[in-house]
Amino acid sequence: MTTTITIPITRLVRVELRKMFDTRLGFWLLVSIGVLAVGSTVAVVVVAPDANITYWSFGTAIGFPMSVILPIIAILAVTSEWSQRSGLTTFTLVPSRGRVIGAKAIAALLVGVGSMVVAFAVGALGNLVGPGLAGVDTIWDVSLAAAPQIVLGNLVGMGIGFTLGVVLRNSAAAIVGYFVVSFVLSGILVVLAQVRPWFEDLQPWIDWNETQVALFEGTTNTAEEWAMLASTTMIWIVAPLVLGLLSLRHGEVK
């Protein structure tokens, strides 16, 4: 009788975390999070008017580059199996492709949450030092209720990137696709809502960028707003991710 030993998911997550940063690109993307967080904090202290030296300003300055870097990290977590041609080895050692993708998703989630902890900490440090240097009062204008929404907003962006990675399985195509969906398509939806009154009420239910911005601003409060977030998440993350996983599960790995 043959006994099959299943690799624990915790071990798969550790492996995926290591794989995310054992390349030069992955390593420098990780380093850039810390470097840009510190650089953005210094920029606020040096450039911003005294009235704008607040915790919100530090968080916004740090959050913008992070909202771009984290989705790219999520994309590469998936597409590296094909760009580095390690997929055949990975799926031979762990035939359950769903478990591998699940481990990658958990690893990306941990990196996203960890990065946001670093961002909040660096922003807090800047808000302690910056006002003293500028000779103004320290202002903590980010509420505890808004902080989880800001984290969730970044995780939504990572979810879009991760989904594109699963669907396209090509690093360049997925990264370009992310910027197209984030900026080009979102701009088209905004313009369409302005010129077509019937689309104005529909836009928040299908434009994931608008619901993400609401999370960043900590203004997702009502049941309808959370329903809008659920709708855009279903359209842009859940549905295409399911289709991508089905394709991945039955597709040939080379």
PDB file of all heavy atoms in Angstrom, residues 183-213:
ATOM      1  N   PHE A 183      -5.500  52.742 -14.946  1.00  0.00           N
ATOM      2  CA  PHE A 183      -5.506  54.140 -15.378  1.00  0.00           C
ATOM      3  C   PHE A 183      -6.316  54.373 -16.652  1.00  0.00           C
ATOM      4  O   PHE A 183      -7.154  55.280 -16.707  1.00  0.00           O
ATOM      5  CB  PHE A 183      -4.068  54.625 -15.572  1.00  0.00           C
ATOM      6  CG  PHE A 183      -3.246  54.538 -14.306  1.00  0.00           C
ATOM      7  CD1 PHE A 183      -2.283  53.553 -14.155  1.00  0.00           C
ATOM      8  CD2 PHE A 183      -3.468  55.423 -13.269  1.00  0.00           C
ATOM      9  CE1 PHE A 183      -1.537  53.468 -12.990  1.00  0.00           C
ATOM     10  CE2 PHE A 183      -2.722  55.347 -12.100  1.00  0.00           C
ATOM     11  CZ  PHE A 183      -1.760  54.359 -11.951  1.00  0.00           C
ATOM     12  N   VAL A 184      -6.058  53.575 -17.679  1.00  0.00           N
ATOM     13  CA  VAL A 184      -6.730  53.809 -18.957  1.00  0.00           C
ATOM     14  C   VAL A 184      -8.214  53.454 -18.869  1.00  0.00           C
ATOM     15  O   VAL A 184      -9.091  54.286 -19.148  1.00  0.00           O
ATOM     16  CB  VAL A 184      -6.051  53.005 -20.083  1.00  0.00           C
ATOM     17  CG1 VAL A 184      -6.786  53.235 -21.408  1.00  0.00           C
ATOM     18  CG2 VAL A 184      -4.581  53.380 -20.204  1.00  0.00           C
ATOM     19  N   LEU A 185      -8.499  52.222 -18.460  1.00  0.00           N
ATOM     20  CA  LEU A 185      -9.898  51.786 -18.410  1.00  0.00           C
ATOM     21  C   LEU A 185     -10.691  52.584 -17.388  1.00  0.00           C
ATOM     22  O   LEU A 185     -11.841  52.966 -17.629  1.00  0.00           O
ATOM     23  CB  LEU A 185      -9.970  50.295 -18.095  1.00  0.00           C
ATOM     24  CG  LEU A 185     -11.366  49.680 -18.079  1.00  0.00           C
ATOM     25  CD1 LEU A 185     -12.052  49.878 -19.431  1.00  0.00           C
ATOM     26  CD2 LEU A 185     -11.294  48.193 -17.741  1.00  0.00           C
ATOM     27  N   SER A 186     -10.064  52.867 -16.234  1.00  0.00           N
ATOM     28  CA  SER A 186     -10.756  53.653 -15.221  1.00  0.00           C
ATOM     29  C   SER A 186     -11.083  55.043 -15.745  1.00  0.00           C
ATOM     30  O   SER A 186     -12.180  55.570 -15.502  1.00  0.00           O
ATOM     31  CB  SER A 186      -9.884  53.759 -13.966  1.00  0.00           C
ATOM     32  OG  SER A 186     -10.510  54.546 -12.991  1.00  0.00           O
ATOM     33  N   GLY A 187     -10.142  55.653 -16.486  1.00  0.00           N
ATOM     34  CA  GLY A 187     -10.409  56.968 -17.064  1.00  0.00           C
ATOM     35  C   GLY A 187     -11.536  56.933 -18.070  1.00  0.00           C
ATOM     36  O   GLY A 187     -12.357  57.862 -18.132  1.00  0.00           O
ATOM     37  N   ILE A 188     -11.586  55.858 -18.853  1.00  0.00           N
ATOM     38  CA  ILE A 188     -12.666  55.719 -19.833  1.00  0.00           C
ATOM     39  C   ILE A 188     -14.021  55.626 -19.133  1.00  0.00           C
ATOM     40  O   ILE A 188     -15.009  56.238 -19.565  1.00  0.00           O
ATOM     41  CB  ILE A 188     -12.424  54.472 -20.715  1.00  0.00           C
ATOM     42  CG1 ILE A 188     -11.201  54.690 -21.605  1.00  0.00           C
ATOM     43  CG2 ILE A 188     -13.662  54.161 -21.559  1.00  0.00           C
ATOM     44  CD1 ILE A 188     -10.798  53.460 -22.403  1.00  0.00           C
ATOM     45  N   LEU A 189     -14.071  54.869 -18.027  1.00  0.00           N
ATOM     46  CA  LEU A 189     -15.327  54.730 -17.287  1.00  0.00           C
ATOM     47  C   LEU A 189     -15.766  56.060 -16.686  1.00  0.00           C
ATOM     48  O   LEU A 189     -16.960  56.370 -16.659  1.00  0.00           O
ATOM     49  CB  LEU A 189     -15.162  53.670 -16.188  1.00  0.00           C
ATOM     50  CG  LEU A 189     -14.956  52.232 -16.658  1.00  0.00           C
ATOM     51  CD1 LEU A 189     -14.740  51.305 -15.473  1.00  0.00           C
ATOM     52  CD2 LEU A 189     -16.141  51.752 -17.491  1.00  0.00           C
ATOM     53  N   VAL A 190     -14.811  56.855 -16.204  1.00  0.00           N
ATOM     54  CA  VAL A 190     -15.140  58.163 -15.640  1.00  0.00           C
ATOM     55  C   VAL A 190     -15.715  59.086 -16.729  1.00  0.00           C
ATOM     56  O   VAL A 190     -16.730  59.760 -16.523  1.00  0.00           O
ATOM     57  CB  VAL A 190     -13.897  58.811 -14.997  1.00  0.00           C
ATOM     58  CG1 VAL A 190     -14.171  60.269 -14.639  1.00  0.00           C
ATOM     59  CG2 VAL A 190     -13.481  58.026 -13.757  1.00  0.00           C
ATOM     60  N   VAL A 191     -15.062  59.106 -17.885  1.00  0.00           N
ATOM     61  CA  VAL A 191     -15.536  59.951 -18.985  1.00  0.00           C
ATOM     62  C   VAL A 191     -16.908  59.484 -19.450  1.00  0.00           C
ATOM     63  O   VAL A 191     -17.807  60.303 -19.715  1.00  0.00           O
ATOM     64  CB  VAL A 191     -14.527  59.921 -20.153  1.00  0.00           C
ATOM     65  CG1 VAL A 191     -15.107  60.633 -21.372  1.00  0.00           C
ATOM     66  CG2 VAL A 191     -13.217  60.567 -19.738  1.00  0.00           C
ATOM     67  N   LEU A 192     -17.089  58.165 -19.533  1.00  0.00           N
ATOM     68  CA  LEU A 192     -18.377  57.631 -19.978  1.00  0.00           C
ATOM     69  C   LEU A 192     -19.487  58.023 -19.014  1.00  0.00           C
ATOM     70  O   LEU A 192     -20.612  58.349 -19.442  1.00  0.00           O
ATOM     71  CB  LEU A 192     -18.300  56.104 -20.080  1.00  0.00           C
ATOM     72  CG  LEU A 192     -19.526  55.382 -20.645  1.00  0.00           C
ATOM     73  CD1 LEU A 192     -19.836  55.858 -22.054  1.00  0.00           C
ATOM     74  CD2 LEU A 192     -19.305  53.865 -20.634  1.00  0.00           C
ATOM     75  N   ALA A 193     -19.177  58.040 -17.716  1.00  0.00           N
ATOM     76  CA  ALA A 193     -20.185  58.443 -16.729  1.00  0.00           C
ATOM     77  C   ALA A 193     -20.532  59.922 -16.868  1.00  0.00           C
ATOM     78  O   ALA A 193     -21.666  60.336 -16.562  1.00  0.00           O
ATOM     79  CB  ALA A 193     -19.676  58.153 -15.321  1.00  0.00           C
ATOM     80  N   GLN A 194     -19.582  60.721 -17.337  1.00  0.00           N
ATOM     81  CA  GLN A 194     -19.824  62.157 -17.496  1.00  0.00           C
ATOM     82  C   GLN A 194     -20.653  62.480 -18.733  1.00  0.00           C
ATOM     83  O   GLN A 194     -21.427  63.443 -18.729  1.00  0.00           O
ATOM     84  CB  GLN A 194     -18.483  62.897 -17.554  1.00  0.00           C
ATOM     85  CG  GLN A 194     -17.699  62.865 -16.247  1.00  0.00           C
ATOM     86  CD  GLN A 194     -16.324  63.491 -16.377  1.00  0.00           C
ATOM     87  OE1 GLN A 194     -15.826  63.723 -17.481  1.00  0.00           O
ATOM     88  NE2 GLN A 194     -15.688  63.767 -15.244  1.00  0.00           N
ATOM     89  N   VAL A 195     -20.517  61.681 -19.772  1.00  0.00           N
ATOM     90  CA  VAL A 195     -21.222  61.982 -21.025  1.00  0.00           C
ATOM     91  C   VAL A 195     -22.485  61.148 -21.206  1.00  0.00           C
ATOM     92  O   VAL A 195     -23.304  61.453 -22.074  1.00  0.00           O
ATOM     93  CB  VAL A 195     -20.277  61.771 -22.239  1.00  0.00           C
ATOM     94  CG1 VAL A 195     -19.079  62.680 -22.139  1.00  0.00           C
ATOM     95  CG2 VAL A 195     -19.825  60.317 -22.358  1.00  0.00           C
ATOM     96  N   ARG A 196     -22.653  60.111 -20.410  1.00  0.00           N
ATOM     97  CA  ARG A 196     -23.844  59.270 -20.495  1.00  0.00           C
ATOM     98  C   ARG A 196     -24.496  59.198 -19.116  1.00  0.00           C
ATOM     99  O   ARG A 196     -24.059  58.441 -18.254  1.00  0.00           O
ATOM    100  CB  ARG A 196     -23.485  57.851 -20.980  1.00  0.00           C
ATOM    101  CG  ARG A 196     -23.024  57.799 -22.428  1.00  0.00           C
ATOM    102  CD  ARG A 196     -24.190  58.093 -23.370  1.00  0.00           C
ATOM    103  NE  ARG A 196     -23.799  57.952 -24.776  1.00  0.00           N
ATOM    104  CZ  ARG A 196     -23.336  58.929 -25.529  1.00  0.00           C
ATOM    105  NH1 ARG A 196     -23.195  60.147 -24.994  1.00  0.00           N
ATOM    106  NH2 ARG A 196     -23.009  58.735 -26.792  1.00  0.00           N
ATOM    107  N   PRO A 197     -25.544  60.002 -18.894  1.00  0.00           N
ATOM    108  CA  PRO A 197     -26.182  60.057 -17.575  1.00  0.00           C
ATOM    109  C   PRO A 197     -26.632  58.685 -17.068  1.00  0.00           C
ATOM    110  O   PRO A 197     -26.582  58.430 -15.856  1.00  0.00           O
ATOM    111  CB  PRO A 197     -27.375  60.984 -17.800  1.00  0.00           C
ATOM    112  CG  PRO A 197     -26.957  61.847 -18.954  1.00  0.00           C
ATOM    113  CD  PRO A 197     -26.142  60.957 -19.843  1.00  0.00           C
ATOM    114  N   TRP A 198     -27.076  57.801 -17.969  1.00  0.00           N
ATOM    115  CA  TRP A 198     -27.561  56.495 -17.535  1.00  0.00           C
ATOM    116  C   TRP A 198     -26.442  55.644 -16.935  1.00  0.00           C
ATOM    117  O   TRP A 198     -26.705  54.721 -16.131  1.00  0.00           O
ATOM    118  CB  TRP A 198     -28.175  55.740 -18.718  1.00  0.00           C
ATOM    119  CG  TRP A 198     -27.204  55.459 -19.846  1.00  0.00           C
ATOM    120  CD1 TRP A 198     -27.003  56.232 -20.933  1.00  0.00           C
ATOM    121  CD2 TRP A 198     -26.317  54.346 -19.965  1.00  0.00           C
ATOM    122  NE1 TRP A 198     -26.044  55.683 -21.746  1.00  0.00           N
ATOM    123  CE2 TRP A 198     -25.598  54.510 -21.176  1.00  0.00           C
ATOM    124  CE3 TRP A 198     -26.057  53.227 -19.194  1.00  0.00           C
ATOM    125  CZ2 TRP A 198     -24.642  53.609 -21.604  1.00  0.00           C
ATOM    126  CZ3 TRP A 198     -25.098  52.303 -19.610  1.00  0.00           C
ATOM    127  CH2 TRP A 198     -24.404  52.503 -20.811  1.00  0.00           C
ATOM    128  N   PHE A 199     -25.181  55.969 -17.287  1.00  0.00           N
ATOM    129  CA  PHE A 199     -24.055  55.176 -16.799  1.00  0.00           C
ATOM    130  C   PHE A 199     -23.506  55.708 -15.472  1.00  0.00           C
ATOM    131  O   PHE A 199     -22.752  55.003 -14.787  1.00  0.00           O
ATOM    132  CB  PHE A 199     -22.938  55.177 -17.851  1.00  0.00           C
ATOM    133  CG  PHE A 199     -21.790  54.261 -17.520  1.00  0.00           C
ATOM    134  CD1 PHE A 199     -21.930  52.884 -17.597  1.00  0.00           C
ATOM    135  CD2 PHE A 199     -20.559  54.778 -17.125  1.00  0.00           C
ATOM    136  CE1 PHE A 199     -20.877  52.039 -17.285  1.00  0.00           C
ATOM    137  CE2 PHE A 199     -19.498  53.934 -16.819  1.00  0.00           C
ATOM    138  CZ  PHE A 199     -19.650  52.568 -16.900  1.00  0.00           C
ATOM    139  N   GLU A 200     -23.908  56.920 -15.096  1.00  0.00           N
ATOM    140  CA  GLU A 200     -23.340  57.557 -13.908  1.00  0.00           C
ATOM    141  C   GLU A 200     -23.607  56.738 -12.645  1.00  0.00           C
ATOM    142  O   GLU A 200     -22.722  56.564 -11.794  1.00  0.00           O
ATOM    143  CB  GLU A 200     -23.909  58.962 -13.751  1.00  0.00           C
ATOM    144  CG  GLU A 200     -23.282  59.751 -12.611  1.00  0.00           C
ATOM    145  CD  GLU A 200     -23.788  61.177 -12.568  1.00  0.00           C
ATOM    146  OE1 GLU A 200     -24.604  61.554 -13.443  1.00  0.00           O
ATOM    147  OE2 GLU A 200     -23.363  61.906 -11.647  1.00  0.00           O
ATOM    148  N   ASP A 201     -24.823  56.227 -12.504  1.00  0.00           N
ATOM    149  CA  ASP A 201     -25.152  55.432 -11.320  1.00  0.00           C
ATOM    150  C   ASP A 201     -24.561  54.032 -11.383  1.00  0.00           C
ATOM    151  O   ASP A 201     -24.349  53.395 -10.343  1.00  0.00           O
ATOM    152  CB  ASP A 201     -26.676  55.328 -11.168  1.00  0.00           C
ATOM    153  CG  ASP A 201     -27.300  56.678 -10.838  1.00  0.00           C
ATOM    154  OD1 ASP A 201     -26.597  57.527 -10.248  1.00  0.00           O
ATOM    155  OD2 ASP A 201     -28.487  56.880 -11.188  1.00  0.00           O
ATOM    156  N   LEU A 202     -24.271  53.558 -12.583  1.00  0.00           N
ATOM    157  CA  LEU A 202     -23.730  52.214 -12.752  1.00  0.00           C
ATOM    158  C   LEU A 202     -22.224  52.163 -12.516  1.00  0.00           C
ATOM    159  O   LEU A 202     -21.697  51.144 -12.052  1.00  0.00           O
ATOM    160  CB  LEU A 202     -24.057  51.708 -14.162  1.00  0.00           C
ATOM    161  CG  LEU A 202     -23.598  50.291 -14.520  1.00  0.00           C
ATOM    162  CD1 LEU A 202     -24.248  49.258 -13.613  1.00  0.00           C
ATOM    163  CD2 LEU A 202     -23.896  49.991 -15.986  1.00  0.00           C
ATOM    164  N   GLN A 203     -21.544  53.252 -12.792  1.00  0.00           N
ATOM    165  CA  GLN A 203     -20.075  53.265 -12.729  1.00  0.00           C
ATOM    166  C   GLN A 203     -19.503  52.781 -11.399  1.00  0.00           C
ATOM    167  O   GLN A 203     -18.590  51.952 -11.387  1.00  0.00           O
ATOM    168  CB  GLN A 203     -19.558  54.672 -13.037  1.00  0.00           C
ATOM    169  CG  GLN A 203     -18.031  54.754 -13.039  1.00  0.00           C
ATOM    170  CD  GLN A 203     -17.513  56.110 -12.594  1.00  0.00           C
ATOM    171  OE1 GLN A 203     -18.297  57.057 -12.462  1.00  0.00           O
ATOM    172  NE2 GLN A 203     -16.224  56.213 -12.358  1.00  0.00           N
ATOM    173  N   PRO A 204     -19.989  53.261 -10.246  1.00  0.00           N
ATOM    174  CA  PRO A 204     -19.387  52.811  -8.983  1.00  0.00           C
ATOM    175  C   PRO A 204     -19.503  51.314  -8.738  1.00  0.00           C
ATOM    176  O   PRO A 204     -18.753  50.761  -7.931  1.00  0.00           O
ATOM    177  CB  PRO A 204     -20.173  53.602  -7.919  1.00  0.00           C
ATOM    178  CG  PRO A 204     -20.775  54.747  -8.641  1.00  0.00           C
ATOM    179  CD  PRO A 204     -21.055  54.250 -10.018  1.00  0.00           C
ATOM    180  N   TRP A 205     -20.424  50.668  -9.434  1.00  0.00           N
ATOM    181  CA  TRP A 205     -20.623  49.233  -9.242  1.00  0.00           C
ATOM    182  C   TRP A 205     -19.687  48.394 -10.103  1.00  0.00           C
ATOM    183  O   TRP A 205     -19.558  47.178  -9.867  1.00  0.00           O
ATOM    184  CB  TRP A 205     -22.072  48.863  -9.544  1.00  0.00           C
ATOM    185  CG  TRP A 205     -23.048  49.489  -8.601  1.00  0.00           C
ATOM    186  CD1 TRP A 205     -23.657  50.705  -8.736  1.00  0.00           C
ATOM    187  CD2 TRP A 205     -23.509  48.963  -7.362  1.00  0.00           C
ATOM    188  NE1 TRP A 205     -24.469  50.959  -7.666  1.00  0.00           N
ATOM    189  CE2 TRP A 205     -24.408  49.904  -6.802  1.00  0.00           C
ATOM    190  CE3 TRP A 205     -23.269  47.764  -6.675  1.00  0.00           C
ATOM    191  CZ2 TRP A 205     -25.048  49.698  -5.588  1.00  0.00           C
ATOM    192  CZ3 TRP A 205     -23.913  47.549  -5.456  1.00  0.00           C
ATOM    193  CH2 TRP A 205     -24.778  48.504  -4.925  1.00  0.00           C
ATOM    194  N   ILE A 206     -19.029  49.018 -11.092  1.00  0.00           N
ATOM    195  CA  ILE A 206     -18.139  48.254 -11.962  1.00  0.00           C
ATOM    196  C   ILE A 206     -16.728  48.819 -12.029  1.00  0.00           C
ATOM    197  O   ILE A 206     -15.823  48.168 -12.558  1.00  0.00           O
ATOM    198  CB  ILE A 206     -18.711  48.158 -13.398  1.00  0.00           C
ATOM    199  CG1 ILE A 206     -18.801  49.544 -14.034  1.00  0.00           C
ATOM    200  CG2 ILE A 206     -20.047  47.449 -13.405  1.00  0.00           C
ATOM    201  CD1 ILE A 206     -19.267  49.502 -15.475  1.00  0.00           C
ATOM    202  N   ASP A 207     -16.507  50.013 -11.491  1.00  0.00           N
ATOM    203  CA  ASP A 207     -15.194  50.656 -11.545  1.00  0.00           C
ATOM    204  C   ASP A 207     -14.440  50.355 -10.250  1.00  0.00           C
ATOM    205  O   ASP A 207     -14.646  51.004  -9.225  1.00  0.00           O
ATOM    206  CB  ASP A 207     -15.356  52.165 -11.732  1.00  0.00           C
ATOM    207  CG  ASP A 207     -14.015  52.868 -11.941  1.00  0.00           C
ATOM    208  OD1 ASP A 207     -12.965  52.201 -11.848  1.00  0.00           O
ATOM    209  OD2 ASP A 207     -14.024  54.086 -12.212  1.00  0.00           O
ATOM    210  N   TRP A 208     -13.542  49.377 -10.285  1.00  0.00           N
ATOM    211  CA  TRP A 208     -12.841  48.970  -9.067  1.00  0.00           C
ATOM    212  C   TRP A 208     -11.922  50.074  -8.556  1.00  0.00           C
ATOM    213  O   TRP A 208     -11.686  50.180  -7.345  1.00  0.00           O
ATOM    214  CB  TRP A 208     -12.026  47.696  -9.305  1.00  0.00           C
ATOM    215  CG  TRP A 208     -10.740  47.907 -10.053  1.00  0.00           C
ATOM    216  CD1 TRP A 208     -10.557  47.897 -11.393  1.00  0.00           C
ATOM    217  CD2 TRP A 208      -9.457  48.169  -9.476  1.00  0.00           C
ATOM    218  NE1 TRP A 208      -9.248  48.137 -11.698  1.00  0.00           N
ATOM    219  CE2 TRP A 208      -8.535  48.296 -10.544  1.00  0.00           C
ATOM    220  CE3 TRP A 208      -8.982  48.311  -8.174  1.00  0.00           C
ATOM    221  CZ2 TRP A 208      -7.184  48.568 -10.342  1.00  0.00           C
ATOM    222  CZ3 TRP A 208      -7.630  48.568  -7.970  1.00  0.00           C
ATOM    223  CH2 TRP A 208      -6.749  48.694  -9.054  1.00  0.00           C
ATOM    224  N   ASN A 209     -11.420  50.920  -9.458  1.00  0.00           N
ATOM    225  CA  ASN A 209     -10.527  51.986  -9.031  1.00  0.00           C
ATOM    226  C   ASN A 209     -11.254  52.994  -8.135  1.00  0.00           C
ATOM    227  O   ASN A 209     -10.682  53.515  -7.168  1.00  0.00           O
ATOM    228  CB  ASN A 209      -9.950  52.700 -10.249  1.00  0.00           C
ATOM    229  CG  ASN A 209      -8.829  53.650  -9.894  1.00  0.00           C
ATOM    230  OD1 ASN A 209      -7.780  53.244  -9.385  1.00  0.00           O
ATOM    231  ND2 ASN A 209      -9.019  54.922 -10.142  1.00  0.00           N
ATOM    232  N   GLU A 210     -12.510  53.246  -8.426  1.00  0.00           N
ATOM    233  CA  GLU A 210     -13.275  54.187  -7.612  1.00  0.00           C
ATOM    234  C   GLU A 210     -13.511  53.633  -6.209  1.00  0.00           C
ATOM    235  O   GLU A 210     -13.395  54.353  -5.217  1.00  0.00           O
ATOM    236  CB  GLU A 210     -14.608  54.505  -8.290  1.00  0.00           C
ATOM    237  CG  GLU A 210     -15.461  55.486  -7.495  1.00  0.00           C
ATOM    238  CD  GLU A 210     -16.572  56.103  -8.314  1.00  0.00           C
ATOM    239  OE1 GLU A 210     -16.333  56.427  -9.493  1.00  0.00           O
ATOM    240  OE2 GLU A 210     -17.685  56.267  -7.775  1.00  0.00           O
ATOM    241  N   THR A 211     -13.844  52.355  -6.122  1.00  0.00           N
ATOM    242  CA  THR A 211     -14.054  51.763  -4.797  1.00  0.00           C
ATOM    243  C   THR A 211     -12.733  51.641  -4.035  1.00  0.00           C
ATOM    244  O   THR A 211     -12.712  51.732  -2.808  1.00  0.00           O
ATOM    245  CB  THR A 211     -14.709  50.373  -4.917  1.00  0.00           C
ATOM    246  OG1 THR A 211     -13.931  49.534  -5.790  1.00  0.00           O
ATOM    247  CG2 THR A 211     -16.118  50.496  -5.483  1.00  0.00           C
ATOM    248  N   GLN A 212     -11.622  51.466  -4.759  1.00  0.00           N
ATOM    249  CA  GLN A 212     -10.324  51.412  -4.099  1.00  0.00           C
ATOM    250  C   GLN A 212      -9.951  52.781  -3.533  1.00  0.00           C
ATOM    251  O   GLN A 212      -9.449  52.880  -2.409  1.00  0.00           O
ATOM    252  CB  GLN A 212      -9.234  50.938  -5.068  1.00  0.00           C
ATOM    253  CG  GLN A 212      -7.879  50.739  -4.390  1.00  0.00           C
ATOM    254  CD  GLN A 212      -6.753  50.557  -5.381  1.00  0.00           C
ATOM    255  OE1 GLN A 212      -6.739  51.180  -6.438  1.00  0.00           O
ATOM    256  NE2 GLN A 212      -5.801  49.687  -5.054  1.00  0.00           N
ATOM    257  N   VAL A 213     -10.196  53.833  -4.300  1.00  0.00           N
ATOM    258  CA  VAL A 213      -9.916  55.186  -3.821  1.00  0.00           C
ATOM    259  C   VAL A 213     -10.730  55.484  -2.564  1.00  0.00           C
ATOM    260  O   VAL A 213     -10.222  56.097  -1.603  1.00  0.00           O
ATOM    261  CB  VAL A 213     -10.216  56.224  -4.924  1.00  0.00           C
ATOM    262  CG1 VAL A 213     -10.197  57.636  -4.352  1.00  0.00           C
ATOM    263  CG2 VAL A 213      -9.213  56.098  -6.055  1.00  0.00           C
TER     264      VAL A 213
END
